[in-house]
Structure formats: C-alpha cells, structure tokens
Amino acid sequence: MFEYAPAPESRSIVDIAPSYGLFINGSFDEGKATFKTVNPASEEVLSEVALAGPEDVDRAVAAARRAYEKWSALPGAERAKYLFRIARIIQERSRELAVLESLDNGKPIRESRDVDLPLVAAHFFYYAGWADKLSYAGFGPDPRPLGVAGQVIPWNFPMLMLAWKIAPALAAGNTVVLKPAETTPLSALFFADVCRQADLPPGVVNIVTGAGDTGRYLVEHPDVDKVAFTGSTEVGRQIARSVAGTGKRLTLELGGKAANIVFDDAPIDQAVEGIVNGIFFNQGHVCCAGSRLLVQESVAEELLASLKRRMATLRVGDPLDKNTDIGAINSAAQLARITELSEIGASEGAERWSPECSLPEKGFWFAPTIFTGVTQAHRIAREEIFGPVLSVLTFRTPDEAIEKANNTPYGLSAGIWSDKGSRILAVADQLRAGVIWANTFNKFDPTSPFGGYKESGYGREGGRHGLEAYLA
Ligand code: NAD
C-alpha cells in the first residue's frame, strides 16, 4: 500500500470545556457526582461530565412536563421554525461537531463529517417539514403528542441517534429528556448549546448524562409517557419488563446480526465494496452491520481473494486524519468484548485473517478481521460482535441462503447482491429483516423507516412511520 502524508483535521476548531453540568430547563447546572469521558484513540481525558442521580432525573422530567403544555399547544408551523433553526445551526457548526464526535467516539472524521453530520441535519430538516402536516401523516385527523419522552441512546452514532430521537418527538409536540451513552456524552451537550442558540423554549429538550443507572431512573420515572431506547438487546429486555403494565409507550431499537448475501451473478468488485462498507464502516459498531457474509459457493474463492486485497488497503489509525478508514474502538470494554468473541471464533475452529497493519500503541484498536469456514453453530455466526469482524459462510441455493440468513434471533437488516432484479425481490420477500439493501449497504435516509423484528426490537424510526411512535 502506498503511503499518504498525514492529513489531520484541526482539533482546535472545537472548544471542549473541562467540565459539563446537566442541561435542565434551558441551562446547565452542576450534578453532585461526575465521570470522565476519554478520547478512545489516545486515552486522553476530554472532559468531566455530571453524573445524574434520581433527583436530577426528577428535575429534568419536571422541566419537560412544565414545558410540554406550551410546546404541545404551539401551532405545528411554529414548532417547525425551531426545528429548521436547529437544522441550520447544525449545518453551520457541523465541522465543530464532526471533530467533537470523532474525538469522543473514535470514528474517522471522514465518516462523522460526510455521513453522521449531514444525516443529523437532514433528520431535523425532514421532521421540521412534518410538524405542520401531522393531520396528513395517516394517523387520524387530529393526532396528539404523548407528553414527556424519556430517550436513551448508545455510543456508536451519538449525534445521529440523538437526531433520530429528538427530531420526531419535538415535531409531534412532545418534550424530551435524553440520556446519551456514558462514553460519548459530548455531542449531546453540544446539542444543548445548539438548542439555546436556537432559542428553543427552556425544558423542551433536557440532557441528563450518566451511565446505566441514570438511564434506568429515566425509563422508570412515573411521569414519563413514552420511552425510546436504542442499545443492546439485553438492556432492551430489562426496559421492556420495567415498562410493562405502566401504560408508557415504548420503542426499542436493539442489536443485529445481518446477513449480507452475495449471489454468483453479483458484480464482485461492487459487492466487495459493499461488504467492506457493511462491516468496517464505523469500526463495525453498527447495529445493522453486515456482520455475516453469505457467499454463493461457486464465487466464494474469487470474492474472498478480492476482499482480502481490498482489506489490505484499509487505513487504521488516527480518527482525525482525513485518510483514515477505520478509527478507534470506542472503549476498553468494547475492545475486550471484540477480542473475546474473536478468540472464541478461532478456538471453535474458524480460520482467522487480518491484513498486516500496525496499530497505534495508545488507545483502543482492532485490526479488520475476517473468519472463514464459519458454520451456523459458531458463536461468531450467532452473536453480535459490534466490531470490525466479519464471519463468512457459504451457500449453494437461494433457499439455503434464505434459511441461513433468517437463522438468527435478530432481524434488523440484510443485504442482497445480484444482477437479477427478480431474484432480489423474491429473496427480499422471504427475509425477516426490517431493512433490506439491494446492491448496496448501510445507506440511510431520514425519509425511510428503520427498525427490527424479533430480538432487534420493535417500532420504527425515520420517515412518516417514525412519527407514529410519538403520536396518540
Ligand atoms: P447498552 O444497552 O449497554 O447501552 C445503551 C444505552 O443504555 C446507554 O446510554 C446506557 O447507559 C443505557 N443503559 C444501560 N443500562 C441501562 C438500564 N438498565 N436502563 C436504562 N438505560 C440503560 O448498549 P451499548 O453497548 O451502548 O450499544 C450497543 C448496542 O446498541 C448494540 O447491541 C447495537 O446493536 C445497539 N444499537 C442498535 C441500534 C438500532 O437502531 N437498532 C442502533 C445503534 C446501536
């Protein structure tokens, strides 16, 4: 591989305060306890952030409740003005936000700049457009907001998950208390500042930082009307149990183990790009990642040779370098999980391969990895690894591909690669997955609903469907 000169994005564009409080009722206040958030590429402490306890969550929910009366009574066109304003401020400040997101999360700047941030702004623009058209959304002539939404998000797309949650909630007239993940709180706190800049009325958006306990206080709070959670299936289950019987509305966006199916008539080079994008985008920290490659036996050898050649060109390293393809793993805990599952894959007999690549000494890193000779009995074929690790299985007939693809407790996404439109439609029809990409992978659009079947959760985010979760 030829070398590129370093092309680092300047980190001085964004100011990170040494400490942050909780954003409640339009202003930041001190929490009693704090925790540190680190840059996973260097292990440097970026800031100290307040850890919200039950009383803090209580205050945030109370602020959202007070704001609800006026916010929900505003004409939709008025709410839209705020959302449009937020969308425009995000665009104006997107360079700052992209750098901040890459620093706190470890994702390559190329992705935060070209994928995450444009999609964040697009979500706010899209739902701003719905705010005054709710009666035409297909949910009856006079749909009503639900009240206070308690929203808990993960660390893999911190700002984008925030947008998926907050934009439809506000457009529909709800107020929100959002808890970002403990390893990536900074972009949500930046967003609090965006809300102030947009003159959003105090209490409409509240941000409480903390770990699992803070999330639990929020989803169990009796004055929350709607819970929206994105995260692991395990925590999703706990939340479903705690919300059951309370009358709260619930949407769960959980894990996945998507099949990316390549038929023998697929354009191989294009499929290889799709496979790489499917599993190595965002270090594989993607719920809908194409983590199981199902390739038709007759083209498996050719495809794998091509995939390995392509993987050898991936650049792993400094997330702020514009040439970087694969950044840092978000946390030591996640790195440990990826390492453990990969070791299990090898010990169960699958063949492990990574291109030669030197990893930085400090920080959390994992080389892009594929496992061949994987069978359905292997844990790496069944469990979500949530890292840059691909399990390769083969099939002979379309029926076998469908059966293997559906043989998972999850059902979030899938990919199909074939030259034949009729085959794509016939196979897509039989896959149990919420999102199916054909001859592409990991493409997102605010107009398109996203969500899963089975243990991938329920409810849809995005599109007109995404409004339904916030309307009665
Ligand atoms: P996680 O479930 O550990 O944490 C997610 C969030 O929940 C964090 O903010 C965490 O602090 C909070 N939390 C933890 N315990 C809680 C509890 N008992 N009550 C309330 N909140 C609690 O998951 P993670 O490791 O942060 O994220 C990775 C998971 O998220 C993966 O499984 C991935 O597939 C999934 N994910 C799904 C989607 C989707 O749209 N389906 C999108 C992104 C990530």
Side-chain angles (χ1 to χ4, degrees):
M1 181 165 64
F2 58 86
E3 291 302 320
Y4 284 150
E9 175 62 277
S10 163
R11 73 165 279 176
S12 60
I13 183 158
V14 60
D15 288 326
I16 302 178
S19 67
Y20 288 92
L22 306 167
F23 185 66
I24 297 176
N25 203 32
S27 58
F28 282 100
D29 64 19
E30 300 296 314
K32 286 188 199 79
T34 60
F35 64 99
K36 294 182 171 66
T37 184
V38 302
N39 176 349
S42 64
E43 298 174 56
E44 160 210 5
V45 173
L46 293 170
S47 187
E48 243 178 73
V49 177
L51 178 78
E55 321 78 53
D56 301 312
V57 171
D58 220 22
R59 282 188 299 120
V61 173
R65 176 64 59 196
R66 283 195 302 277
Y68 176 67
E69 208 178 308
K70 277 200 184 142
W71 180 252
S72 58
L74 280 183
E78 288 303 310
R79 286 198 304 273
K81 282 187 198 166
Y82 289 104
L83 289 170
F84 277 124
R85 211 180 282 165
I86 288 172
R88 283 194 301 268
I89 296 170
I90 287 169
Q91 282 186 321
E92 280 160 20
R93 304 184 69 181
S94 69
R95 218 171 131 210
E96 274 173 87
L97 260 166
V99 171
L100 185 65
E101 196 79 318
S102 283
L103 284 171
D104 207 17
N105 170 280
K107 63 175 72 203
I109 187 73
R110 211 159 45 80
E111 291 177 6
S112 45
R113 181 196 62 192
D114 298 347
V115 182
D116 297 43
L117 264 301
L119 278 171
V120 169
H123 263 84
F124 279 98
F125 277 119
Y126 175 74
Y127 281 110
W130 269 118
D132 62 347
K133 303 173 194 71
L134 298 175
S135 336
Y136 308 99
F139 308 118
D142 186 25
R144 307 296 311 149
L146 301 174
V148 175
Q151 307 177 320
V152 178
I153 58 172
W155 44 262
N156 57 342
F157 291 93
M159 193 59 191
L160 186 58
M161 291 300 107
L162 173 149
W164 282 24
K165 297 272 179 288
I166 292 186
L170 297 195
N174 303 271
T175 56
V176 307
V177 180
L178 176 127
K179 191 200 85 67
E182 53 272 39
T183 56
T184 54
L186 295 182
S187 51
L189 294 164
F190 188 108
F191 181 77
D193 193 45
V194 170
C195 292
R196 287 206 299 205
Q197 207 182 332
D199 275 332
L200 191 73
V204 173
V205 168
N206 305 275
I207 309 282
V208 290
T209 42
D213 281 342
T214 307
R216 194 163 49 75
Y217 305 140
L218 179 58
V219 300
E220 290 179 2
H221 196 287
D223 205 28
V224 161
D225 302 292
K226 149 88 193 171
V227 172
F229 173 76
T230 296
S232 60
T233 296
E234 192 191 333
V235 174
R237 261 196 216 106
Q238 289 173 27
I239 292 178
R241 269 197 294 272
S242 75
V243 164
T246 60
K248 289 175 192 169
R249 289 267 295 267
L250 175 64
T251 38
L252 296 173
E253 300 280 0
L254 310 175
K257 191 75 188 176
N260 203 358
I261 309 172
V262 181
F263 285 99
D264 57 4
D265 62 343
I268 296 291
D269 287 351
Q270 205 180 317
V272 164
E273 284 309 306
I275 293 162
V276 166
N277 181 40
I279 187 63
F280 301 124
F281 171 61
N282 202 36
Q283 295 72 247
H285 301 327
V286 182
C287 50
C288 51
S291 52
R292 281 185 301 151
L293 173 63
L294 301 187
V295 55
Q296 197 150 12
E297 210 173 79
S298 49
V299 293
E301 205 177 314
E302 180 192 351
L303 181 127
L304 283 173
S306 189
L307 177 61
K308 287 178 178 177
R309 270 197 307 277
R310 177 67 179 90
M311 282 172 67
T313 68
L314 293 172
R315 290 174 160 80
V316 184
D318 181 5
L320 284 193
D321 192 314
K322 292 168 210 155
N323 297 321
T324 294
D325 298 304
I326 299 183
I329 300 302
N330 179 251
S331 64
Q334 187 59 25
L335 179 59
R337 178 171 163 76
I338 298 169
T339 307
E340 187 196 347
L341 273 166
S342 299
E343 280 163 7
I344 289 171
S347 72
E348 288 184 345
E351 195 178 319
R352 178 177 183 163
W353 184 87
S354 292
E356 233 174 82
C357 68
S358 59
L359 302 177
E361 268 171 27
K362 278 217 129 177
F364 316 126
W365 306 94
F366 200 88
T369 299
I370 55 172
F371 279 98
T372 50
V374 178
T375 72
Q376 310 223 69
H378 284 103
R379 277 182 66 185
I380 53 168
R382 288 182 281 120
E383 291 179 31
E384 185 181 42
I385 301 174
F386 222 57
V389 181
L390 177 68
S391 299
V392 184
L393 296 90
T394 57
F395 68 89
R396 288 185 182 169
T397 63
D399 284 347
E400 188 187 345
I402 292 161
E403 198 172 311
K404 284 186 168 165
N406 286 337
N407 185 2
T408 166
Y410 296 110
L412 193 56
S413 66
I416 306 171
W417 297 83
S418 167
D419 211 20
K420 276 202 199 76
S422 56
R423 173 178 274 171
I424 290 170
L425 292 174
V427 172
D429 209 31
Q430 295 175 74
L431 293 179
R432 288 291 283 171
V435 181
I436 298 172
W437 287 288
N439 292 332
T440 187
F441 210 93
N442 271 343
K443 287 276 182 285
F444 305 97
D445 190 292
T447 64
S448 169
F450 183 93
Y453 287 105
K454 303 193 281 186
E455 290 188 15
S456 291
Y458 43 80
R460 294 292 177 264
E461 292 187 315
R464 183 187 68 80
H465 305 70
L467 287 168
E468 189 176 8
Y470 291 96
L471 289 170

